[in-house]
Amino acid sequence: MNKSKERILASAKELFHEYGFQQTSVDEILKKSGVTKSNFYYHFKSKEELGLIILQRFITIYESDVLIKTLGNKSLSPSGRLVEFYNSVKTFHINLENPRGCPFGNMAIEMSGSNENFREKLSAFFNSWEKIIEECINEGMNSGDFRGDLPPGVVAQLILSHLEGAIMMVKTHRSLEPLSSGSETIMRLLKAA
Amino acid sequence: MNKSKERILASAKELFHEYGFQQTSVDEILKKSGVTKSNFYYHFKSKEELGLIILQRFITIYESDVLIKTLGNKSLSPSGRLVEFYNSVKTFHINLENPRGCPFGNMAIEMSGSNENFREKLSAFFNSWEKIIEECINEGMNSGDFRGDLPPGVVAQLILSHLEGAIMMVKTHRSLEPLSSGSETIMRLLKAA
DNA sequence: TTATTAGGACTGTCCAGTCAGTACTAAACA
DNA sequence: TGTTTAGTACTGACTGGACAGTCCTAATAA
């Protein structure tokens, strides 16, 4: 059931990632999904509500499909997990014909200044993402995978900031190089002496 | 004279940084600058043209007021220059009541997917910015300020990516902490053994 | 004279959102 | 059994405002 609603969600997810939330009009979502405007407003009370639902979907899928499968994969060593995480991010961006950037980073820059609902949700997600990285780093420091002379929280924050900036560069330069080279350098800098 | 033109440029620069290019309307620029619409289109042939001129202004000012004065300050040691650069970036973002993000990073994310003129200009500027960092890193590696076991170009790329990501976090979390803590960590990781 | 500023009305398009009403289904009732 | 009721899904036509940009006229300054 609810075929229209699902089609709206699927189309909006694509369009928001490719063009951004503000640069995607409701009419474009309608056109892509083949749904009428009145039907749209039957399912969603506003474009903002749809945007927040899509953001939540991005978060949920990212947590289960990327974070848990890589950084949370206890069958790998901590440094192996981090490598897998980077691989998975690279694969995600390779598979798009044009780099679209990070769905979260894009939305953070686009919306943080103008909409507190988006900003708070994104801020909370970045925090939880950071915590997941931190746990991996912490374990790797204890196991000797990583150098232990830095607080793991600070390292995790650095990794996430760098990742977001690198994806921004991938989008701007239309090349994966900043991400692949940057992630390798991060791995080298974290290696135990 | 060209007082109106200068007023338009000054207002647009503020508004583009605070709200982004797309989210700023010509009418808002007119209102803020107190200039009439016909006068606006006497000086600029389109909003896009104005946007590209503003971007060029940001670049020129940033190069002369930040990059040359910090990373290009030969009276300081390479690591002293990098510290000064970070201080200057932090000061810039502290002085805004609400974090607005990096003018270049914001525009890169907002425009790279939809306008090649902006994307190419930003890509070229990021490259030149990276080169300036690279020269500082290279010199610091030769002088023994920085560890020398990594290619300076790769380190420069990492520093710039991290900086952009950290400023994104500052904007999203409404806190300077990701930038100040991140820059300190970068300095520690680069210290010679 | 020529560059600049001002006024204001206007165009056509796009925008998010509204509205009254229809089609279908399924349970509740008589 | 047939009839009512109610909820869900959906539709097409519409509104009012915002948008970038145009046009034309007239005043003012170098």
Side-chain angles (χ1 to χ4, degrees):
Chain A
M1 296 303 131
N2 261 343
K3 271 203 302 196
S4 301
K5 190 173 183 179
E6 280 309 314
R7 279 218 307 278
I8 290 169
L9 287 163
S11 303
K13 192 184 153 200
E14 287 296 307
L15 292 167
F16 288 167
H17 189 202
E18 185 159 5
Y19 305 111
F21 176 75
Q22 313 258 17
Q23 288 186 71
T24 301
S25 70
V26 173
D27 286 344
E28 278 169 312
I29 298 167
L30 268 23
K31 196 174 154 194
K32 175 154 184 160
S33 59
V35 166
T36 59
K37 183 163 273 195
S38 24
N39 194 346
F40 177 96
Y41 283 99
Y42 169 74
H43 290 294
F44 305 97
K45 77 173 216 282
S46 64
K47 186 190 174 190
E48 179 186 348
E49 184 189 86
L50 171 65
L52 289 164
I53 291 171
I54 295 284
L55 173 54
Q56 184 55 56
R57 284 206 159 193
F58 267 120
I59 291 173
T60 307
I61 291 169
Y62 199 75
E63 281 172 338
S64 65
D65 286 11
V66 178
L67 299 181
I68 291 181
K69 287 188 185 169
T70 60
L71 293 170
N73 183 350
K74 303 281 178 178
S75 74
L76 295 171
S77 70
S79 86
R81 286 173 223 164
L82 194 53
V83 167
E84 270 311 291
F85 170 65
Y86 277 127
N87 284 339
S88 143
V89 174
K90 275 186 280 181
T91 306
F92 178 73
H93 292 281
I94 282 172
N95 287 340
L96 307 165
E97 54 297 8
N98 296 324
R100 296 179 188 176
C102 172
F104 311 108
N106 291 354
M107 252 188 185
I109 284 192
E110 199 190 355
M111 304 302 292
S112 287
S114 59
N115 187 306
E116 274 294 287
N117 292 325
F118 282 88
R119 206 212 100 235
E120 280 170 15
K121 211 173 181 74
L122 286 158
S123 171
F125 174 61
F126 281 140
N127 278 332
S128 100
W129 190 350
E130 207 178 289
K131 278 268 166 294
I132 293 168
I133 299 173
E134 179 181 346
E135 206 185 305
C136 173
I137 297 297
N138 187 43
E139 214 179 302
M141 284 177 173
N142 292 331
S143 74
D145 271 23
F146 301 132
R147 54 190 286 174
D149 59 342
L150 289 162
V154 158
V155 171
Q157 198 178 53
L158 178 109
I159 288 174
L160 183 53
S161 292
H162 167 262
L163 180 74
E164 286 298 329
I167 297 172
M168 178 195 294
M169 292 301 159
V170 167
K171 184 175 179 179
T172 308
H173 295 306
R174 290 203 190 289
S175 154
L176 204 67
E177 200 269 340
L179 178 56
S180 39
S181 141
S183 59
E184 271 176 46
T185 310
I186 292 271
M187 293 307 297
R188 282 185 67 178
L189 288 169
L190 292 183
K191 273 264 146 41
Chain B
M1 291 301 135
N2 261 343
K3 269 202 305 195
S4 301
K5 190 173 184 180
E6 281 309 315
R7 279 217 307 279
I8 291 169
L9 286 164
S11 303
K13 191 184 154 200
E14 285 299 305
L15 292 168
F16 288 166
H17 189 201
E18 184 158 7
Y19 304 111
F21 175 76
Q22 313 259 16
Q23 288 186 72
T24 301
S25 69
V26 173
D27 286 345
E28 278 169 312
I29 298 167
L30 267 26
K31 196 175 154 194
K32 175 154 185 160
S33 59
V35 166
T36 58
K37 187 166 269 200
S38 32
N39 194 268
F40 178 95
Y41 283 100
Y42 171 74
H43 290 294
F44 306 98
K45 77 173 216 281
S46 65
K47 187 190 174 191
E48 179 185 348
E49 184 189 85
L50 171 66
L52 288 165
I53 290 172
I54 295 285
L55 173 55
Q56 184 54 56
R57 284 209 159 190
F58 267 120
I59 290 173
T60 306
I61 291 168
Y62 199 76
E63 282 173 338
S64 65
D65 285 11
V66 179
L67 299 181
I68 291 181
K69 287 189 183 167
T70 60
L71 293 171
N73 183 349
K74 302 281 178 178
S75 74
L76 295 171
S77 70
S79 87
R81 287 174 222 163
L82 194 52
V83 168
E84 271 311 292
F85 169 66
Y86 277 127
N87 284 339
S88 143
V89 174
K90 276 186 278 181
T91 306
F92 177 73
H93 291 282
I94 282 172
N95 287 342
L96 306 165
E97 55 296 11
N98 295 325
R100 297 179 186 175
C102 171
F104 311 108
N106 291 354
M107 253 191 185
I109 285 192
E110 198 190 356
M111 305 301 291
S112 286
S114 59
N115 188 308
E116 274 294 287
N117 293 324
F118 282 88
R119 204 211 102 237
E120 280 170 15
K121 212 175 181 72
L122 287 158
S123 171
F125 173 60
F126 281 140
N127 278 333
S128 100
W129 189 350
E130 207 178 288
K131 278 270 167 293
I132 292 168
I133 299 172
E134 179 180 346
E135 204 184 305
C136 173
I137 297 298
N138 188 44
E139 213 179 305
M141 284 177 173
N142 291 332
S143 75
D145 270 22
F146 300 132
R147 54 190 286 175
D149 60 341
L150 289 162
V154 159
V155 171
Q157 198 177 52
L158 179 110
I159 289 174
L160 182 54
S161 292
H162 167 262
L163 180 73
E164 285 299 328
I167 296 172
M168 178 196 293
M169 293 300 159
V170 167
K171 183 176 179 177
T172 308
H173 294 306
R174 292 203 190 287
S175 154
L176 205 66
E177 200 268 340
L179 179 54
S180 40
S181 141
S183 59
E184 271 176 45
T185 310
I186 292 271
M187 293 308 296
R188 283 185 65 179
L189 288 169
L190 292 184
K191 273 263 147 40

